[in-house]
Amino acid sequence: MCYNNFKKKEKNSMSFSNLVKEELEKAQLLDKNKRKTPEFSEKAYVRDAFFKHGFVNDPRKKYHLEVSFKTKEEAIKLQNLLVEKGIVSKSIPRLKNYIVYIKDGEEISKFLAYIGVVKSVLNFEEERVVKEAKNNINRIVNCEAANTDRIIGASIRHIEAINYLIENDKFEGLPDNLKEVAILRKNDPSLSMTQLGELLEKPISKTSVNYRLQKVLEFAKKARV
């Protein structure tokens, strides 16, 4: 099932969880003729538990897969089987039942792969890749926005201090190294500390630029007293 068809079916009231179970049901029918090994029996147990009492959320939303049991012993049995297969899960009591659940996208993908729903795994992974990419982009954008806000805020404070010193004939009292960086800052408030340091006659690090500008702020503060 290609992804476009998958989305069309989902729009026709089929949830992602139901689509997984639909594929699982077909896989279970095909496996009836296979030799019953201990490993197959374990997989059949996990499949049956999920098919009858399980649910997996749409990967475009929050990652969540769960299987409900009547007894704590059954929940522990499933958890132990999943541990053997390298799948991490947790369990909690809920009302009169015990829930084994997974909230990590990678672990859910491993669970789906283990029960043999290959098409669902591919669909899940496709959505997971898109979702993670969007999240990464948002984090980068938010980080850049925060950095921009910090640069603008710092620039405003620097410019106000420099203008005050100039307007009150105090600027010439600055040491030459402070005047040099202050002039660059006034001429282009958008420059980062790193960029300012690179433009100096003798380039310095952003830490040194920040130190000099802090000294300018202190000089202006004392001049206001």
Side-chain angles (χ1 to χ4, degrees):
M1 182 194 305
C2 72
Y3 184 60
N4 288 334
N5 290 337
F6 176 85
K7 290 182 77 174
K8 286 177 183 177
K9 290 193 73 174
E10 189 174 24
K11 286 179 180 178
N12 293 329
S13 76
M14 286 286 283
S15 70
F16 180 77
S17 192
N18 286 338
L19 287 167
V20 172
K21 289 186 177 182
E22 182 183 79
E23 184 182 356
L24 179 56
E25 188 174 25
K26 292 176 183 177
Q28 288 173 317
L29 289 173
L30 291 173
D31 285 344
K32 278 188 176 180
N33 298 322
K34 291 185 178 180
R35 184 166 59 89
K36 302 296 186 291
T37 64
E39 185 176 349
F40 181 89
S41 296
E42 290 176 352
K43 181 180 289 188
Y45 174 79
V46 178
R47 282 175 160 182
D48 189 58
F50 177 78
F51 187 80
K52 291 179 178 178
H53 309 291
F55 169 82
V56 59
N57 208 12
D58 186 326
R60 290 173 295 184
K61 301 173 184 177
K62 290 183 178 180
Y63 298 132
H64 184 84
L65 180 148
E66 68 175 52
V67 184
S68 175
F69 294 96
K70 292 294 184 183
T71 67
K72 185 176 181 179
E73 289 71 25
E74 289 178 300
I76 292 173
K77 180 180 178 180
L78 177 64
Q79 270 197 288
N80 289 338
L81 282 174
L82 294 181
V83 168
E84 290 176 9
K85 308 306 172 185
I87 302 169
V88 179
S89 65
K90 295 182 180 180
S91 63
I92 54 169
R94 182 191 294 164
L95 298 178
K96 295 181 179 181
N97 296 324
Y98 291 87
I99 309 299
V100 175
Y101 67 94
I102 304 173
K103 288 185 175 291
D104 180 83
E106 185 175 350
E107 299 303 318
I108 292 174
S109 185
K110 285 157 65 176
F111 179 96
L112 296 176
Y114 175 65
I115 63 175
V117 285
V118 179
K119 292 176 182 177
S120 294
V121 173
L122 294 175
N123 291 324
F124 184 87
E125 281 299 303
E126 182 177 346
E127 280 298 336
R128 192 160 80 96
V129 168
V130 172
K131 187 176 181 179
E132 292 301 319
K134 287 180 179 178
N135 288 340
N136 288 335
I137 290 170
N138 287 336
R139 279 194 290 269
I140 292 169
V141 169
N142 290 338
C143 182
E144 289 182 348
N147 286 337
T148 300
D149 288 343
R150 282 195 292 271
I151 290 171
I152 292 172
S155 293
I156 291 171
R157 291 193 300 275
H158 298 152
I159 298 301
E160 286 177 348
I162 293 165
N163 284 340
Y164 175 83
L165 293 173
I166 292 172
E167 291 166 3
N168 290 275
D169 298 323
K170 304 286 186 179
F171 188 76
E172 292 303 319
L174 287 171
D176 290 342
N177 64 337
L178 300 188
K179 280 194 286 188
E180 183 184 14
V181 74
I183 291 169
L184 285 175
R185 169 56 90 200
K186 180 174 171 59
N187 289 341
D188 195 339
S190 66
L191 293 176
S192 67
M193 300 287 185
T194 300
Q195 292 169 324
L196 285 170
E198 291 170 349
L199 290 173
L200 294 171
E201 186 175 346
K202 291 182 180 179
I204 58 176
S205 68
K206 66 178 182 180
T207 302
S208 297
V209 171
N210 183 57
Y211 175 79
R212 292 187 186 184
L213 287 171
Q214 288 302 315
K215 287 295 181 182
V216 172
L217 291 175
E218 290 175 14
F219 196 91
K221 184 178 180 180
K222 290 178 182 178
R224 286 189 173 98
V225 176

